[in-house]
């Protein structure tokens, strides 16, 4: 009898472990799908509140064309303020989230925005950033320490791929990391490699 109950207990524990693994896999898949939703979204910082800027998708499209010297106005599907409370007088305006129809337009604007950083246009100083989900933003920020180390290392190209993958290129080979700790250990080996030839 005791052996029978022991076997049942073991089976239940195995089922529990399997359910936990399945749930973790489903949660990861859901997070991956959710993170792709804002991939063509951009966050525009600096557009004033109130009536000084007529808030329409075509107006945002024209603003982006002029700000980044685009060949034609990008097709903007949606544009809205973030859901934060309306700021008090003198406080910074809420960012604008714009959903672009074409991925290529989104990438071109973000490339130019990185180069220009802050753009002055129509008495406004705006900046444009990718609009990530909170989960993706946290995952990307987790690599900040590693990126800080890489900035001090000449001849080691690196970049953060969507949604949160750090790519380090060394000796002509790409090394991709989704875990900051693993990336840190790899960078430590690069430091030794760089220092070693001078020893």
């Amino acid at each position: 009898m005791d052996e029978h109950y022991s076997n049942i207990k073991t089976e239940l524990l195995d089922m529990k472990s399997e359910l936990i693994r399945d749930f973790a896999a489903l949660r990861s898949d859901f997070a991956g799908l959710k993170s792709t939703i804002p991939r063509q979204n951009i966050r525009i910082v600096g557009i004033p509140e109130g009536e000084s800027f007529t808030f329409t998708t075509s107006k945002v499209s024209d603003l982006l064309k002029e700000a980044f010297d685009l060949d034609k106005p990008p097709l903007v599907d949606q544009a809205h303020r973030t859901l934060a409370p309306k700021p008090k007088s003198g406080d910074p305006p809420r960012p604008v989230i714009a959903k672009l129809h074409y991925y290529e337009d989104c990438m071109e604007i973000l490339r130019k925005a990185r180069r220009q950083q802050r753009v002055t246009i129509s008495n406004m100083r705006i900046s444009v950033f990718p609009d990530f989900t909170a989960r993706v933003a946290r995952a990307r920020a987790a690599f900040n320490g590693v990126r800080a180390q890489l900035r001090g290392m000449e001849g080691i190209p690196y970049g953060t791929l969507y949604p949160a993958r750090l790519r380090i290129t060394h000796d002509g080979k790409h090394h991709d990391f989704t875990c900051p700790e693993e990336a840190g250990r790899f960078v430590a080996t690069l430091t030794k490699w760089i220092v070693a030839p001078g020893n």
Side-chain angles (χ1 to χ4, degrees), residues 6-132:
S6 178
N7 290 338
I8 292 176
K9 182 179 179 181
T10 299
E11 290 177 6
L12 288 173
L13 288 173
D14 289 342
M15 289 175 63
K16 179 182 177 181
S17 298
E18 186 175 352
L19 286 171
I20 290 173
R21 286 195 299 271
D22 289 346
F23 175 76
L26 287 171
R27 184 176 181 180
S28 178
D29 290 344
F30 174 74
L33 288 171
K34 185 180 177 183
S35 68
T36 64
I37 294 172
R39 193 169 187 180
Q40 287 166 218
N41 285 9
I42 57 174
R43 180 177 291 250
I44 309 170
V45 177
I47 296 180
E49 302 268 352
E51 299 179 358
S52 60
F53 182 83
T54 307
F55 205 85
T56 62
T57 54
S58 60
K59 190 71 174 179
V60 172
S61 177
D62 291 339
L63 174 73
L64 292 169
K65 177 185 182 299
E66 186 177 349
F68 297 107
D69 193 26
L70 305 176
D71 293 335
K72 60 182 180 180
L75 181 57
V76 177
D77 292 335
Q78 300 174 28
H80 60 85
R81 296 276 182 189
T82 57
L83 299 179
K86 188 173 181 177
K88 298 178 182 178
S89 178
D91 289 345
R94 293 167 294 175
V96 171
I97 307 301
K99 184 179 188 302
L100 301 178
H101 190 78
Y102 295 109
Y103 175 74
E104 293 77 10
D105 288 342
C106 182
M107 291 298 98
E108 182 182 4
I109 290 168
L110 289 174
R111 279 195 300 270
K112 292 188 174 184
R114 277 194 296 270
R115 288 199 301 267
Q116 296 176 235
Q117 296 187 354
R118 299 190 73 179
V119 180
T120 300
I121 177 174
S122 302
N123 297 319
M124 296 183 290
R125 294 190 69 189
I126 66 168
S127 300
V128 177
F129 306 96
D131 182 53
F132 297 125

Side-chain angles (χ1 to χ4, degrees), residues 137 139-151 180:
R140 293 172 74 91
F143 287 101
N144 285 348
V146 180
R147 285 195 292 264
Q149 288 180 276
L150 289 166
R151 278 195 291 272

Side-chain angles (χ1 to χ4, degrees), residues 146-190:
V146 180
R147 285 195 292 264
Q149 288 180 276
L150 289 166
R151 278 195 291 272
M153 301 171 66
E154 294 185 8
I156 306 293
Y158 67 95
T160 307
L161 306 180
Y162 189 87
R165 183 159 46 101
L166 181 66
R167 169 168 290 180
I168 303 171
T169 304
H170 174 58
D171 201 20
K173 183 178 179 182
H174 296 315
H175 303 268
D176 292 352
F177 301 92
T178 56
C179 173
E181 290 75 16
E182 290 181 5
R185 287 192 289 270
F186 179 74
V187 170
T189 65
L190 293 182

